[in-house]
């Protein structure tokens, strides 16, 4: 009965992605969420990302993001600096150590995607991406 529900399959696929990410990211002392935050910071203009931006972008609650940022800070990958636009908040910045990992982070992403989609043809990948974007387009309309 539940085997034919898309939501169930999406959850199973998500769990499989999480498991696979451990094999790819753990040797680099990163979790999937830490990796995603670092990539988000790499792709954002320097000094513009606040904690709330991470919370909203990844749909993660404040206490969880706080723990993620504390861990990245302990690893020497991020710094929190005063926000030049608003002294009441901080911006999250990558350290030189994290910036030096940029090429590696993109390679890890490519490796993760390749392993995750290895059973799909190029056409399958394009179709899957199209359908996932279509599902998420509802979210944009709800906001």
């Amino acid at each position: 009965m539940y085997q034919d529900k898309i939501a169930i399959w999406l959850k199973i696929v998500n769990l499989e992605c999480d498991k696979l990410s451990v094999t790819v990211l753990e040797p680099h002392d990163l979790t999937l969420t830490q990796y995603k935050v670092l990539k988000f910071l790499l792709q954002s203009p320097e000094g513009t990302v606040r904690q709330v931006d991470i919370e909203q972008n990844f749909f993660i609650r404040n206490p969880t993001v706080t723990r993620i940022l504390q861990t990245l800070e302990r690893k020497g990958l991020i710094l929190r600096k005063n926000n030049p636009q608003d002294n009441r908040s901080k911006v999250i910045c990558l350290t030189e150590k994290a910036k030096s990992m940029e090429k590696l982070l993109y390679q890890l992403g490519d490796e993760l995607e390749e392993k995750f989609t290895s059973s799909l043809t190029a056409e399958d990948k394009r179709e899957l991406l199209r359908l996932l974007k279509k599902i998420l387009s509802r979210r944009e309309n709800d906001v």
Side-chain angles (χ1 to χ4, degrees), residues 4-58:
D4 294 333
K5 297 294 183 185
I6 292 171
I8 299 293
W9 280 105
L10 286 173
K11 182 63 176 175
I12 292 168
V13 166
N14 184 52
L15 291 170
E16 283 300 309
C17 184
D18 287 349
K19 280 196 271 184
L20 180 62
S21 72
V22 170
T23 65
V24 173
L25 298 173
E26 193 173 71
H28 303 281
D29 192 30
L30 291 173
T31 66
L32 183 56
T33 306
Q34 292 168 4
Y35 166 80
K36 289 178 194 178
V37 168
L38 290 173
K39 287 276 300 267
F40 180 67
L41 290 167
L42 277 170
Q43 296 169 347
S44 302
E46 189 166 351
T48 62
V49 177
R50 301 162 301 149
Q51 180 166 332
V52 69
D53 299 320
I54 295 169
E55 293 166 14
Q56 292 172 349
N57 189 71
F58 295 107

Side-chain angles (χ1 to χ4, degrees), residues 96-114:
E96 289 305 314
K97 178 181 177 182
K99 290 176 186 175
S100 72
M101 295 172 61
E102 180 174 5
K103 185 176 179 182
L104 172 65
L105 291 171
Y106 281 99
Q107 288 171 341
L108 292 172
D110 290 345
E111 180 182 346
L112 185 56
E113 183 154 329
E114 181 55 39

Side-chain angles (χ1 to χ4, degrees), residues 24-136:
V24 173
L25 298 173
E26 193 173 71
H28 303 281
D29 192 30
L30 291 173
T31 66
L32 183 56
T33 306
Q34 292 168 4
Y35 166 80
K36 289 178 194 178
V37 168
L38 290 173
K39 287 276 300 267
F40 180 67
L41 290 167
L42 277 170
Q43 296 169 347
S44 302
E46 189 166 351
T48 62
V49 177
R50 301 162 301 149
Q51 180 166 332
V52 69
D53 299 320
I54 295 169
E55 293 166 14
Q56 292 172 349
N57 189 71
F58 295 107
F59 301 95
I60 304 173
R61 296 182 59 188
N62 177 284
T64 304
V65 174
T66 297
R67 283 191 305 276
I68 293 163
L69 295 177
Q70 287 170 342
T71 302
L72 290 172
E73 208 165 23
R74 274 194 307 276
K75 291 179 179 185
L77 297 172
I78 64 155
L79 297 169
R80 294 182 231 209
K81 297 182 179 179
N82 288 332
N83 185 344
Q85 269 64 46
D86 182 354
N87 286 333
R88 297 170 295 170
S89 71
K90 304 253 186 214
V91 290
I92 315 301
C93 299
L94 294 170
T95 63
E96 289 305 314
K97 178 181 177 182
K99 290 176 186 175
S100 72
M101 295 172 61
E102 180 174 5
K103 185 176 179 182
L104 172 65
L105 291 171
Y106 281 99
Q107 288 171 341
L108 292 172
D110 290 345
E111 180 182 346
L112 185 56
E113 183 154 329
E114 181 55 39
K115 285 184 177 198
F116 190 66
T117 61
S118 63
S119 63
L120 302 177
T121 66
E123 180 58 33
D124 290 340
K125 291 175 191 179
R126 284 190 294 277
E127 180 67 3
L128 177 59
L129 187 57
R130 184 187 72 75
L131 292 170
L132 291 171
K133 286 178 178 180
K134 189 173 184 177
I135 288 171
L136 288 179

